[in-house]
Amino acid sequence: MPTTWYVAKTDDPATVQRVRAAWKDAPIENLELLDMILDTAKAQVIAYAPELPNDDNYPSRYVLAQLMQARTLYQAGQVASAGTIGEGEYVFTPRPMDKTVRTIIRPEDGKPDVG
């Protein structure tokens, strides 16, 4: 069974429940926003991925990367005017697509890059 991308369609409670189970802090109260975030994260994963097969039988790590990137995008929308999230010693600056997400999409093979 192929892995399916995360979506948050208002006409399908099962898709919303799937997102809620994987991402407990997802903005469920605004399903339109949540669906836009998930769709944007999916588009970014596809754009960064080396290649997607034509039969939708893509690696499940792409879906994991979509979920992680969606969290990053959501947090980016929560930043303060200084560009950071959090208070005190727990402050960080979200990045558009961090190295962890990029490595999930394109695992490092240990071979040197020769260009």
Side-chain angles (χ1 to χ4, degrees), residues 50-69:
E51 187 175 322
L52 282 178
N54 293 330
D55 62 358
D56 287 334
N57 193 15
Y58 43 83
S60 59
R61 69 178 188 270
Y62 289 4
V63 177
L64 175 61
Q66 177 207 18
L67 185 62
M68 293 176 72
Q69 182 62 8

Side-chain angles (χ1 to χ4, degrees), residues 6 11 15 21 23 29-31 39 45 62-63 72 79 86 89-90 100 103 113:
Y6 283 98
D11 60 341
T15 63
W23 178 13
E29 67 282 351
N30 187 339
L31 292 178
D39 188 57
V45 168
Y62 289 4
V63 177
T72 300
V79 297
E89 63 185 275
Y90 302 105
T100 303
T103 303
D113 290 332

Side-chain angles (χ1 to χ4, degrees), residues 7 30 40 44 50 52-53 61 64 66 79 84 86 99 111 114:
V7 295
N30 187 339
T40 300
Q44 290 176 326
L52 282 178
R61 69 178 188 270
L64 175 61
Q66 177 207 18
V79 297
T84 59
K99 183 171 175 44
K111 298 176 187 173
V114 179

Side-chain angles (χ1 to χ4, degrees), residues 11-31:
D11 60 341
D12 185 8
T15 63
V16 175
Q17 188 59 31
R18 179 176 178 238
V19 172
R20 186 186 313 250
W23 178 13
K24 71 175 186 134
D25 296 327
I28 299 292
E29 67 282 351
N30 187 339
L31 292 178

